[in-house]
Amino acid sequence: MLLELETFTTETALEAATQLRKVLAARTHRRKVMGQEVLVPGQLGDALQLPRIINRLQSKQPRQRELGLEDFQELWPTLSPQTRGRVLNAIGWYDPKELDWEDKRSNRKPRVDPDK
């Protein structure tokens, strides 16, 4: 599932960034707090400045939205293929070339039965 950067709009980038934040927050790690092991949600989204990118993409100012889109387009290729796949799957994005003939989303003409 390779997504070309040119296909991102501010709307799709916002949707993908929001899902990316959820995917990264779902990762947990163990930390000892006062002698007890606890599971802590992932902080990678904050480290990648996703809240700032999402705020820019949601801005009413066109220049801020463009900056958010540029930031997201710079971030996207640095993510692992598995992470990108999870995000694209979560937002319902698919590659029509990878779909089966029977899948209604494939947008292909059905095969013609020569017996009919």
Side-chain angles (χ1 to χ4, degrees), residues 4 13 17 19 26 42 45 47 56 58 62 81 84 87 94 104 106-107 110:
E4 298 296 325
Q19 286 301 323
R56 282 185 170 178
Q58 291 174 331
R84 288 191 301 233
V87 171
Y94 59 90
K104 294 177 183 176
S106 66
N107 203 19

Side-chain angles (χ1 to χ4, degrees), residues 2 27 37 39 41 64 79 86 97 100:
L2 180 62
R27 297 178 180 177
E37 258 192 27
L39 286 178
Q64 288 297 316
L79 302 172
R86 285 186 187 132
K97 294 178 182 176
D100 187 50

Side-chain angles (χ1 to χ4, degrees), residues 1-2 94-101 103 105-106 108:
M1 255 193 212
L2 180 62
Y94 59 90
D95 183 3
K97 294 178 182 176
E98 293 179 0
L99 295 177
D100 187 50
W101 278 94
D103 196 320
R105 300 173 300 168
S106 66
R108 295 181 182 168

Side-chain angles (χ1 to χ4, degrees), residues 1-51:
M1 255 193 212
L2 180 62
L3 184 65
E4 298 296 325
L5 292 177
E6 293 79 27
T7 60
F8 274 119
T9 63
T10 53
E11 292 82 20
T12 56
L14 175 60
E15 191 176 357
T18 305
Q19 286 301 323
L20 177 61
R21 182 171 51 182
K22 290 178 184 176
V23 167
L24 295 177
R27 297 178 180 177
T28 58
H29 58 279
R30 294 178 186 178
R31 178 177 283 168
K32 281 201 174 200
V33 177
M34 298 178 68
Q36 296 284 332
E37 258 192 27
V38 294
L39 286 178
V40 180
Q43 301 295 315
L44 187 55
D46 292 337
L48 295 174
Q49 299 181 350
L50 273 176

